[in-house]
Amino acid sequence: MFITKFSRLGAHVIKGLRRGQLTSTPGTAYSSVFNNHSLQPLKHQFFSATAGDKSQEGEDEANKKISVTFVDKDGEEKQIKVPIGMSMLEAAHENDIELEGACEGSLACSTCHVIVMDMEYYNKLEDPTDEENDMLDLAFGLTDTSRLGCQVIAKPELDGIHLALPAATRNFAVDGYKPKPH
Amino acid sequence: MLKAHQGAEVDIIDRLPTPFGLVRSGVAPDHPETKIVTNQFSRVPQNERCSFFGNVSIGSSVSLSELREMYHVVVLAYGAESDRILGIPGEDLAGTHSAREFVWWYNGHPDCRNLAPDLKSTDTAVILGQGNVALDVARILLRPTMELATTDISSHALGALEESRIRKVYLVGRRGPVQAACTAKELREVLGIKDLYIHIQEADLLKTPTDEEELKNSRIQRRVYELLSKAAVSGHSHPSSGQRELHFVFFRKPDRFIDSDDRSGHIAGVRVEKTMLKESAGAGKQIAVGTGQFEDLECGLVLKSIGYKSIPVDGLPFDHHKGIVPNARGRVLSNTSDLTQLEEGLYVCGWLKRGPTGIIATNLYCAEETIASINEDIEKGVLASTSNMPKPGREGLLQLLETIHRTENYCSKDERIVLFGDGHHEMTRKEHIQYLKQWMTSEERLKNLNKLSDLAVKHYNEKSNSKYEFVKFVKATVLPHRGFLYHITFEAKEKDAVDGQSITFQAKVYDGRKLWDTEPDRFLDSDDRSGHVADVLFEKTMLKVTPTLCGKAN
Ligand SMILES: Cc1cc2nc3c(=O)[nH]c(=O)nc-3n(C[C@H](O)[C@H](O)[C@H](O)COP(=O)(O)OP(=O)(O)OC[C@H]3O[C@@H](n4cnc5c(N)ncnc54)[C@H](O)[C@@H]3O)c2cc1C
């Protein structure tokens, strides 16, 4: 499917030239680069990795959903239902909320940074681990109630939680929003 | 860009055959989690409107001005692929490398595959710098190779590390533990290496009121400092025999590199000067100044991790002092003093825009800013648009690459070229590329390709017993191979078809004569190969069945 001509021509072309080229042997050195990283949808990975213990407490519990509101860059709110045990990163992705997740929930980046908008809810969360704090150190627009979305797992007490995406805090700052202190 | 502009077509160019930049060649092999982001990168060229071109270098394969002629927008994001230097005596002694080279070496970057750092004739290495790159390098040197073997470290590096005699590593910083430029994650990792003796001078941990103030203002510095203080008091006071050692050396700046007595030209140590901190006026931070006290650190390997540096390409405004392209939110400024004059359609992003700092995610915000600028400029009508000034884009680039390749195929960079098929006209490489560019758009070339397409149709008809008729030439690429091997796309239609719809064909046609008699001809028996049709593909059937004619293709 890819173009070998370019390996001779000194350039490898990934794609976009399917029309109008005579293709010969597929699988140039280059094409394998992209093919090797088979692209798993994000959700398969986090759910099993982060599902909380709570979900084992019983059928009812496991089937329950809590309500979570994401507040996006422009201050726009979106309320979604999140099953107990699911991470906020995964929930965001399932609901087309623009939360990055560069490392796919493996605690190696800070791109799923969210801000818990209410101290009361923030205190209901387990304390961040050292590893999460290490990543939060590097988060853009860090506040005292910042967390990584991949580490916040839905549990019944969190029903009604509001999570702001970090860019939103810039807007809030303009409006006089101040993150509440510890 | 693809998201922001539904109409935009984006071509990504990289000088390496592979994409991902430092995520592949910088991020340490034992950080596979960090590299997961390549999954996201890989999804980008899956978009119909995006292509990746590897092995194309800006500055040598294609110039910046050529790119700007071909595309409405050019975003430069080619990073920082050189090093800051210390400018002290002995910097070139054998056994000194920049951390960039060493990192490229263990990550298998093609430019440093043959670096071959000598890890066998010494047991001590000095790393200058205490940032994350320095910690990465220290970790790779000190981590049990059993653990590295399971990572995607390059095999040449793994082999060399398995035989490494390095036991002791000094990490030298000009300032103190409060100012250490690393992050807690990297530090925690290096401190946690199995069976590693850590040495931190407790006296170095003393804080001045200014230090306290600095810590109060920076969460990350606070956490790094805490980790260092904890490490200083935990663990044994002396290494056990044979144990690997990591020494944090604070408040020292390199003064000169010491030449070896018995292996002249080879590094034997680093002379460092003790420093103290002084508040720098204005900058609000403390800088290290020398105290006139010196000491020598003996070693046989030095890795300088004092910062990366970008290099300009021809025609690009560049701020040599800051080592970046002068820009206003990603828009390239024509020169550094006038902050209003912009280079139309030219933008920067990443390390080339901000300097060599920040993590992968920093580039995300950096890119958002640049894209926002591009969008604003499109909306304001600052940029030439597709309607008022069409540009060739990808087609143009492909044509250029082909042209260049034709030249490169038979002349080196500075050689003068004897014009092909003529035998006596001489041209420079530049003139030749110019000449070929004219040829590419000439009537004569089109006539020739029409002729070859027509031949291909006849050939196809003969073989498949069909009655197609050549309609028009679409495009072609060419590979010089004792004459030229064309891949031609053209349209043809069935002679007696009622609806008369044309269909796309692709053909592989040789044109030219055998010129070099000494070489065996891999393709053909006959000497005369003008218009020899090797393959014709009928596009519609291409994916379904493999017509017998198309040999290899599938
Ligand atoms: C040793 C090291 C370790 C790091 N580890 C981490 C980490 O663990 N986590 C983290 O978040 N960040 C890490 N970083 C930082 C991160 O890698 C950078 O922030 C990021 O890669 C910078 O992106 P960039 O696009 O500006 O440059 P690069 O990633 O360097 O990309 C530049 C690209 O341009 C290409 N190029 C260069 N010259 C030309 C030319 N003339 N023509 C065409 N193409 C050209 C190069 O081949 C390369 O692909 C690390 C950096 C280093 C140096």
Side-chain angles (χ1 to χ4, degrees):
Chain A
M1 186 169 103
F2 294 107
I3 294 137
T4 39
K5 176 185 75 72
F6 274 95
S7 51
R8 300 263 325 258
L9 196 69
H12 299 271
V13 178
I14 280 289
K15 56 158 281 258
L17 293 162
R18 247 163 279 128
R19 290 178 62 84
Q21 294 281 351
L22 183 90
T23 56
S24 42
T25 19
T28 61
Y30 192 71
S31 61
S32 60
V33 176
F34 278 103
N35 291 343
N36 282 347
H37 294 266
S38 60
L39 307 170
Q40 306 245 327
L42 291 172
K43 53 184 169 186
H44 297 307
Q45 300 189 1
F46 326 110
F47 200 81
S48 54
T50 51
D53 302 326
K54 284 269 149 64
S55 56
Q56 279 137 35
E57 279 181 18
E59 277 287 303
D60 287 352
E61 195 79 324
N63 292 333
K64 257 196 216 148
K65 290 186 174 182
I66 62 167
S67 145
V68 173
T69 305
F70 280 91
V71 182
D72 79 6
K73 292 183 204 181
D74 309 314
E76 205 114 316
E77 296 195 359
K78 185 166 180 181
Q79 201 189 61
I80 61 171
K81 292 281 176 215
V82 182
I84 304 293
M86 184 184 270
S87 80
M88 293 304 138
L89 172 58
E90 189 188 358
H93 283 213
E94 291 217 328
N95 290 280
D96 293 327
I97 288 163
E98 291 230 357
L99 184 62
E100 294 285 340
C103 79
E104 301 178 3
S106 64
L107 261 183
C109 75
S110 50
T111 56
C112 66
H113 173 202
V114 292
I115 292 152
V116 183
M117 293 178 73
D118 193 327
M119 193 48 127
E120 218 178 286
Y121 278 100
Y122 180 81
N123 289 334
K124 290 180 185 172
L125 298 170
E126 316 246 309
D127 284 343
T129 59
D130 284 343
E131 288 72 24
E132 185 182 345
N133 270 323
D134 287 353
M135 287 302 131
L136 283 171
D137 278 351
L138 310 171
F140 179 78
L142 188 75
T143 71
D144 286 340
T145 61
S146 287
R147 293 298 301 257
L148 294 184
C150 66
Q151 301 301 306
V152 178
I153 312 300
K155 55 181 180 178
E157 305 92 285
L158 296 182
D159 191 31
I161 194 171
H162 278 59
L163 299 172
L165 305 184
T169 55
R170 277 183 286 181
N171 296 342
F172 280 125
V174 177
D175 301 338
Y177 169 88
K178 282 200 187 75
K180 297 173 188 101
H182 271 283
Chain B
M1 194 70 221
L2 290 164
K3 261 197 210 167
H5 256 272
Q6 290 310 311
E9 288 193 2
V10 179
D11 294 335
I12 304 170
I13 294 170
D14 203 289
R15 75 179 181 93
L16 296 186
T18 51
F20 309 150
L22 282 171
V23 177
R24 177 186 287 261
S25 66
V27 172
D30 54 347
H31 286 170
E33 336 70 62
T34 309
K35 294 178 190 259
I36 288 176
V37 67
T38 55
N39 287 349
Q40 201 171 328
F41 294 162
S42 303
R43 283 191 284 270
V44 176
Q46 286 179 1
N47 186 310
E48 280 290 303
R49 292 179 284 126
C50 181
S51 285
F52 175 87
F53 295 85
N55 261 343
V56 178
S57 178
I58 300 160
S60 53
S61 332
V62 45
S63 70
L64 179 59
S65 60
E66 282 168 334
L67 276 183
R68 294 177 72 183
E69 269 169 38
M70 288 185 291
Y71 293 87
H72 290 102
V73 169
V74 174
V75 181
L76 296 172
Y78 64 76
E81 301 208 325
S82 178
D83 309 296
R84 284 181 54 188
I85 55 162
L86 287 160
I88 58 173
E91 211 162 345
D92 296 329
L93 288 174
T96 65
H97 305 282
S98 70
R100 176 186 59 84
E101 293 168 319
F102 189 75
V103 169
W104 271 5
W105 170 72
Y106 67 62
N107 276 325
H109 190 290
D111 286 9
C112 287
R113 200 171 282 150
N114 301 320
L115 186 73
D118 182 1
L119 311 178
K120 279 210 262 192
S121 9
T122 178
D123 64 358
T124 307
V126 166
I127 298 171
L128 299 172
Q130 294 179 329
N132 281 343
V133 176
L135 293 190
D136 270 351
V137 167
R139 199 177 66 250
I140 295 294
L141 283 173
L142 293 168
R143 210 177 155 174
T145 45
M146 287 267 281
E147 293 174 18
L148 292 177
T150 57
T151 70
D152 67 352
I153 190 167
S154 69
S155 53
H156 55 250
L158 183 64
L161 288 164
E162 275 166 349
E163 292 180 4
S164 162
R165 278 185 54 227
I166 308 275
R167 287 278 161 281
K168 192 173 184 177
V169 173
Y170 291 104
L171 268 171
V172 181
R174 284 178 306 177
R175 297 187 288 163
V178 169
Q179 292 81 21
C182 57
T183 60
K185 175 192 186 246
E186 291 276 337
L187 183 60
R188 194 187 303 283
E189 226 178 331
V190 79
L191 295 174
I193 291 177
K194 235 186 3 224
D195 196 27
L196 178 69
Y197 169 79
I198 306 280
H199 181 78
I200 296 168
Q201 205 108 46
E202 274 189 64
D204 287 345
L205 290 159
L206 294 174
K207 288 173 288 184
T208 64
T210 327
D211 287 340
E212 297 278 10
E213 192 60 28
E214 254 188 70
L215 289 183
K216 220 171 78 194
N217 294 328
S218 161
R219 163 183 159 129
I220 188 158
Q221 277 172 267
R222 216 157 53 226
R223 298 185 73 242
V224 164
Y225 179 82
E226 269 165 30
L227 280 174
L228 287 168
S229 336
K230 256 192 229 153
V233 293
S234 62
H236 299 277
S237 54
H238 292 286
S240 56
S241 97
Q243 194 180 13
R244 292 187 168 189
E245 305 168 29
L246 176 63
H247 296 250
F248 285 84
V249 181
F250 293 105
F251 302 110
R252 298 290 185 282
K253 70 172 190 183
D255 179 67
R256 62 172 54 243
F257 296 102
I258 304 162
D259 197 351
S260 163
D261 285 337
D262 37 283
R263 281 173 83 200
S264 184
H266 205 277
I267 188 98
V270 185
R271 177 154 306 161
V272 291
E273 182 178 9
K274 208 170 170 328
T275 66
M276 52 188 268
L277 296 186
K278 241 181 78 179
E279 260 174 270
S280 79
K285 60 176 193 179
Q286 307 187 75
I287 54 163
V289 292
T291 60
Q293 284 170 277
F294 295 89
E295 63 193 32
D296 291 348
L297 295 172
E298 258 177 58
C299 67
L301 177 70
V302 170
L303 299 168
K304 294 179 291 176
S305 184
I306 54 164
Y308 285 53
K309 204 176 82 183
S310 293
I311 17 190
V313 292
D314 265 354
L316 178 65
F318 198 75
D319 180 338
H320 287 274
H321 181 64
K322 291 189 189 145
I324 56 166
V325 173
N327 69 91
R329 300 178 64 81
R331 296 178 181 96
V332 175
L333 298 167
S334 293
N335 66 52
T336 34
S337 51
D338 180 358
L339 295 182
T340 52
Q341 203 175 336
L342 299 171
E343 290 284 325
E344 189 193 301
L346 189 61
Y347 301 83
V348 267
C349 193
W351 279 16
L352 186 61
K353 167 182 166 189
R354 307 188 318 272
T357 58
I359 53 167
I360 298 165
T362 322
N363 301 298
L364 181 73
Y365 301 112
C366 182
E368 277 175 3
E369 185 185 76
T370 299
I371 295 300
S373 294
I374 296 173
N375 278 338
E376 257 174 59
D377 292 351
I378 293 173
E379 272 161 33
K380 278 198 226 140
V382 179
L383 288 173
S385 72
T386 16
S387 50
N388 64 23
M389 192 202 253
K391 295 213 177 188
R394 187 173 306 156
E395 285 295 316
L397 179 66
L398 279 171
Q399 210 165 78
L400 181 79
L401 295 176
E402 190 181 312
T403 308
I404 290 163
H405 182 74
R406 280 171 129 188
T407 301
E408 278 173 352
N409 211 44
Y410 50 90
C411 84
S412 73
K413 264 201 161 128
D414 357 84
E415 239 181 317
R416 292 182 71 78
I417 302 152
V418 176
L419 193 55
F420 185 79
D422 163 316
H424 56 269
H425 276 101
E426 272 202 2
M427 287 181 175
T428 63
R429 185 170 180 271
K430 224 175 170 172
E431 284 164 350
H432 192 249
I433 290 177
Q434 211 55 45
Y435 162 79
L436 286 175
K437 275 185 199 162
Q438 285 173 19
W439 160 245
M440 294 300 282
T441 49
S442 69
E443 275 292 307
E444 205 184 328
R445 176 176 184 263
L446 184 64
K447 248 195 258 165
N448 188 39
L449 287 165
N450 281 340
K451 191 187 88 193
L452 295 177
S453 306
D454 194 44
L455 276 174
V457 175
K458 295 205 168 100
H459 174 86
Y460 186 80
N461 285 340
E462 242 170 63
K463 295 266 170 175
S464 60
N465 217 352
S466 50
K467 283 183 185 164
Y468 282 97
E469 226 172 24
F470 172 66
V471 176
K472 70 170 198 241
F473 163 76
V474 180
K475 61 182 168 184
T477 59
V478 66
L479 194 68
H481 181 85
R482 285 175 274 152
F484 296 112
L485 165 57
Y486 285 101
H487 288 143
I488 310 175
T489 303
F490 59 85
E491 286 177 13
K493 64 175 185 203
E494 249 175 304
K495 222 180 205 156
D496 311 318
V498 218
D499 59 356
Q501 224 182 9
S502 37
I503 294 160
T504 309
F505 280 80
Q506 297 177 316
K508 182 168 158 188
V509 185
Y510 292 99
D511 187 24
R513 270 161 203 288
K514 190 168 173 179
L515 292 173
W516 293 274
D517 292 327
T518 45
E519 259 184 89
D521 194 321
R522 266 168 282 147
F523 290 97
L524 295 165
D525 306 327
S526 150
D527 272 6
D528 181 2
R529 359 192 258 153
S530 6
H532 177 94
V533 182
D535 265 343
V536 185
L537 276 183
F538 171 27
E539 205 194 33
K540 280 210 173 145
T541 57
M542 210 158 71
L543 297 173
K544 290 183 219 142
V545 284
T546 311
T548 46
L549 274 172
C550 339
K552 293 179 284 183
N554 51 21

